[in-house]
Amino acid sequence: MSNRPRIGISACFFHADPKRPIFTGKTLQYVEQSIVHWVQSAGALAVVIPSPEGTTRRGDVTLADYADMLDGLVLEGGSDMWPGSYGEEPLKPEWSGDRIRDAYEIALLRAFIDARKPVLGVCRGMQVLNVAFGGTLYQDIATQKPGTQAHRIADLYDQHFHPVDLVAGTALANLYPGVTRAIVNSVHHQGVKDLAHGFVVEALSSDDGIVEAFRWIGPSYVAAVQWHPEFHDWTRSDVLSGDPLLAEFLQATRTSNTESAKIGV
């Protein structure tokens, strides 16, 4: 058997749409290819984890089965979270998010936490982690925290960048020796408002203090960044490389497997 880490990636959803010209009325589950290529860049195998729920469900496969089979989980970016997931009403209809995906990803996260398998969140994935552990979000940073810098410019998308400050002494800062301030892309308009209990902040937006990275202090590896390391141009030296973060996550999967083997799991 291959000794490559097997990394599950959460799915994005195109919900059933009777007006869509192809797959008319069907639900699609997919991943953006950059996240797959980023995970595979370090030699890991990327596996899409589909939701077993839905109107066409058959069989008895559960998310816990995937957590048992795989070595780690990446919660990828995508749509807004539904404010109801953290006890709020949408301030605008366009910020209603995707409650079905929320429920799927929170259940998926719980399955991997229960299995003590490492989890890495990216952009939306960081927001899912915060909400799942009891935190809340800004539904729209510009509206709810006036005076902040732009965190999303639609026309620029992943070519919009801003600086973040790494918190000294944290595990993230230790991955980048000598780096106190770095440039990252920024494609989100929602973000952490109330930080979930049990998490420590590892990076902040330099100009306005929006949380840009955090880590769980619980018994297994759970970390997240608000930017998209998979979108970064690997040839650019002026943006923060995602390689050390990915390497740490994959090493955590190997450590987790070793510890499980020792106790006969």
Side-chain angles (χ1 to χ4, degrees):
M1 286 185 65
S2 171
N3 60 1
R4 296 174 183 269
R6 296 163 296 181
I7 305 302
I9 300 178
S10 62
C12 303
F13 289 72
F14 272 138
H15 296 292
D17 182 355
K19 298 179 180 179
R20 191 165 50 229
I22 59 173
F23 295 106
T24 306
K26 303 299 183 184
T27 296
L28 309 183
Q29 298 183 35
Y30 68 97
V31 293
E32 197 283 323
Q33 74 172 6
S34 295
I35 196 78
V36 170
H37 290 173
W38 183 53
V39 167
Q40 292 180 165
S41 72
L45 297 174
V47 178
V48 181
I49 304 177
S51 172
E53 303 300 329
T55 58
T56 60
R57 177 180 179 134
R58 298 177 183 177
D60 60 356
V61 173
T62 68
L63 295 176
D65 292 322
Y66 283 99
D68 180 62
M69 177 186 75
L70 299 171
D71 300 314
L73 170 67
V74 173
L75 294 170
E76 71 165 317
S79 58
D80 288 349
M81 292 197 74
W82 173 52
S85 293
Y86 45 96
E88 296 184 6
E89 294 293 328
L91 298 177
K92 289 186 177 182
E94 58 266 36
W95 301 337
S96 295
D98 188 341
R99 63 190 299 177
I100 293 175
R101 183 175 172 187
D102 292 359
Y104 149 73
E105 286 191 309
I106 290 172
L108 180 60
L109 166 64
R110 293 298 181 196
F112 275 78
I113 292 291
D114 289 347
R116 299 289 182 94
K117 301 289 182 71
V119 179
L120 178 64
V122 171
C123 198
R124 172 191 158 92
M126 176 172 165
Q127 296 166 13
V128 170
L129 281 165
N130 192 54
V131 169
F133 280 84
T136 66
L137 304 177
Y138 291 111
Q139 294 185 34
D140 181 71
I141 294 171
T143 299
Q144 295 182 273
K145 195 173 182 183
T148 55
Q149 66 176 323
H151 285 265
R152 177 183 172 89
I153 298 178
D155 290 344
L156 292 177
Y157 196 59
D158 62 332
Q159 295 306 300
H160 172 57
F161 299 88
H162 69 62
V164 298
D165 294 327
L166 306 188
V167 178
T170 61
L172 182 66
N174 291 339
L175 294 178
Y176 299 92
V179 177
T180 57
R181 176 167 290 188
I183 300 297
V184 299
N185 60 33
S186 186
V187 295
H188 64 106
H189 80 102
Q190 300 193 322
V192 172
K193 182 170 65 174
D194 299 309
L195 184 68
H197 178 72
F199 283 80
V200 293
V201 174
E202 296 199 311
L204 296 163
S205 176
S206 300
D207 296 333
D208 55 31
I210 294 293
V211 176
E212 293 280 343
F214 61 39
R215 186 176 302 254
W216 190 38
I217 58 174
S220 60
Y221 179 102
V222 178
V225 296
Q226 187 59 70
W227 60 89
H228 284 264
E230 78 277 16
F231 288 170
H232 282 174
D233 184 344
W234 297 353
T235 66
R236 288 183 57 170
S237 60
D238 59 330
V239 296
L240 191 68
S241 171
D243 291 350
L245 178 64
L246 178 59
E248 181 201 41
F249 167 64
L250 294 180
Q251 181 55 44
T253 69
R254 298 182 181 97
T255 301
S256 174
N257 281 339
T258 299
E259 292 175 349
S260 296
K262 286 180 179 179
I263 60 177
V265 176

